[in-house]
Amino acid sequence: MEEKRSMISELIELAKVDGHVSDQEVGFIKQIGNMMGMQNADILALFKEPAPFNPPDPHFDRIVHFQQMVLLMNVDQDVDNSEISHLRYMGMKLGLNASAVNEVL
Protein backbone atom coordinates (compact mmCIF):
# COMPACT_ATOMS: atom_id res chain seq x y z
CA MET A 1 0.00 0.00 0.00
CA GLU A 2 2.91 2.39 0.69
CA GLU A 3 4.08 1.98 -2.91
CA LYS A 4 0.62 3.00 -4.16
CA ARG A 5 0.49 5.98 -1.80
CA SER A 6 3.93 7.02 -3.02
CA MET A 7 2.90 6.80 -6.67
CA ILE A 8 -0.20 8.92 -6.07
CA SER A 9 1.88 11.43 -4.08
CA GLU A 10 4.25 11.75 -7.04
CA LEU A 11 1.31 12.43 -9.36
CA ILE A 12 0.06 15.09 -6.93
CA GLU A 13 3.52 16.68 -6.77
CA LEU A 14 3.57 16.89 -10.57
CA ALA A 15 0.09 18.45 -10.60
CA LYS A 16 1.26 21.11 -8.13
CA VAL A 17 4.56 21.96 -9.82
CA ASP A 18 3.08 24.58 -12.17
CA GLY A 19 1.32 26.38 -9.30
CA HIS A 20 -2.19 25.30 -10.26
CA VAL A 21 -4.02 22.02 -9.78
CA SER A 22 -6.94 21.76 -12.19
CA ASP A 23 -10.14 19.79 -11.64
CA GLN A 24 -9.10 17.56 -14.54
CA GLU A 25 -5.81 16.75 -12.79
CA VAL A 26 -7.59 15.92 -9.53
CA GLY A 27 -10.05 13.72 -11.40
CA PHE A 28 -7.26 11.89 -13.21
CA ILE A 29 -5.35 11.33 -9.95
CA LYS A 30 -8.49 9.98 -8.28
CA GLN A 31 -9.12 7.68 -11.23
CA ILE A 32 -5.58 6.24 -11.06
CA GLY A 33 -5.85 5.86 -7.28
CA ASN A 34 -9.23 4.14 -7.57
CA MET A 35 -7.81 1.71 -10.13
CA MET A 36 -5.12 0.90 -7.55
CA GLY A 37 -7.81 0.16 -4.96
CA MET A 38 -7.53 3.42 -3.01
CA GLN A 39 -10.48 5.38 -1.66
CA ASN A 40 -11.00 9.03 -2.64
CA ALA A 41 -10.58 10.21 0.96
CA ASP A 42 -7.15 8.52 1.16
CA ILE A 43 -6.14 10.04 -2.17
CA LEU A 44 -7.25 13.55 -1.18
CA ALA A 45 -5.39 13.24 2.15
CA LEU A 46 -2.16 12.86 0.18
CA PHE A 47 -2.60 16.42 -1.14
CA LYS A 48 -2.01 17.65 2.41
CA GLU A 49 0.43 15.01 3.64
CA PRO A 50 2.41 13.29 0.88
CA ALA A 51 3.78 9.79 1.28
CA PRO A 52 7.55 9.27 1.12
CA PHE A 53 9.09 8.28 -2.21
CA ASN A 54 8.88 4.51 -2.62
CA PRO A 55 9.13 3.56 -6.31
CA PRO A 56 7.87 0.23 -7.60
CA ASP A 57 10.52 -2.49 -7.82
CA PRO A 58 9.76 -3.94 -11.26
CA HIS A 59 11.19 -1.81 -14.06
CA PHE A 60 7.97 -2.25 -16.06
CA ASP A 61 5.92 -0.73 -13.20
CA ARG A 62 8.25 2.29 -13.08
CA ILE A 63 7.74 2.78 -16.82
CA VAL A 64 3.95 2.59 -16.37
CA HIS A 65 4.14 5.12 -13.53
CA PHE A 66 6.17 7.48 -15.73
CA GLN A 67 3.58 7.09 -18.49
CA GLN A 68 0.84 7.99 -16.00
CA MET A 69 2.80 11.12 -15.12
CA VAL A 70 3.09 12.08 -18.80
CA LEU A 71 -0.67 11.60 -19.22
CA LEU A 72 -1.31 13.75 -16.13
CA MET A 73 0.91 16.51 -17.51
CA ASN A 74 -1.28 16.63 -20.63
CA VAL A 75 -4.71 16.17 -19.02
CA ASP A 76 -5.36 19.90 -18.58
CA GLN A 77 -3.94 20.67 -22.06
CA ASP A 78 -1.58 23.24 -20.50
CA VAL A 79 1.99 21.94 -20.44
CA ASP A 80 4.36 24.12 -18.45
CA ASN A 81 8.17 23.98 -18.67
CA SER A 82 8.28 23.27 -14.93
CA GLU A 83 6.24 20.11 -15.54
CA ILE A 84 8.64 18.92 -18.25
CA SER A 85 11.63 19.59 -16.00
CA HIS A 86 9.97 17.75 -13.14
CA LEU A 87 9.25 14.76 -15.39
CA ARG A 88 12.90 14.62 -16.49
CA TYR A 89 13.91 14.62 -12.82
CA MET A 90 11.36 11.91 -11.98
CA GLY A 91 12.52 9.78 -14.90
CA MET A 92 16.02 9.79 -13.43
CA LYS A 93 14.71 9.24 -9.92
CA LEU A 94 12.79 6.20 -11.18
CA GLY A 95 15.96 4.87 -12.81
CA LEU A 96 14.69 5.15 -16.37
CA ASN A 97 16.91 5.57 -19.42
CA ALA A 98 17.58 9.31 -19.84
CA SER A 99 17.47 9.24 -23.63
CA ALA A 100 14.14 7.36 -23.58
CA VAL A 101 12.72 9.91 -21.12
CA ASN A 102 13.86 12.79 -23.35
CA GLU A 103 12.37 11.12 -26.41
CA VAL A 104 9.00 10.75 -24.66
CA LEU A 105 9.06 14.37 -23.53
Side-chain angles (χ1 to χ4, degrees), residues 3 6 16 21-22 25 30-32 37-38 45 59 62 66-67 79 83-85 90 96 102 104:
E3 188 177 287
S6 173
K16 289 180 175 181
V21 180
S22 71
E25 290 171 320
K30 283 181 181 178
Q31 184 178 23
I32 296 295
M38 295 178 67
H59 186 71
R62 287 183 271 143
F66 185 77
Q67 289 174 331
V79 177
E83 292 171 318
I84 293 171
S85 295
M90 285 307 302
L96 303 178
N102 285 328
V104 167

Side-chain angles (χ1 to χ4, degrees), residues 2-3 11 14 17-19 22 24 27 42 48 50 66 79 92 94 98-99 103:
E2 284 308 308
E3 188 177 287
L11 290 172
L14 174 61
V17 79
D18 66 355
S22 71
Q24 294 96 335
D42 295 329
K48 294 179 182 164
F66 185 77
V79 177
M92 290 189 323
L94 289 166
S99 62
E103 188 174 327

Side-chain angles (χ1 to χ4, degrees), residues 25-91:
E25 290 171 320
V26 172
F28 182 82
I29 292 168
K30 283 181 181 178
Q31 184 178 23
I32 296 295
N34 293 158
M35 288 184 341
M36 293 178 172
M38 295 178 67
Q39 300 296 315
N40 283 343
D42 295 329
I43 296 164
L44 294 174
L46 292 170
F47 276 87
K48 294 179 182 164
E49 190 173 330
F53 182 68
N54 183 16
D57 284 330
H59 186 71
F60 177 78
D61 291 348
R62 287 183 271 143
I63 292 170
V64 169
H65 181 54
F66 185 77
Q67 289 174 331
Q68 290 170 340
M69 295 177 85
V70 170
L71 290 171
L72 174 64
M73 176 181 70
N74 290 297
V75 78
D76 63 358
Q77 299 179 358
D78 182 24
V79 177
D80 189 87
N81 285 336
S82 61
E83 292 171 318
I84 293 171
S85 295
H86 185 76
L87 276 175
R88 275 196 183 93
Y89 169 74
M90 285 307 302

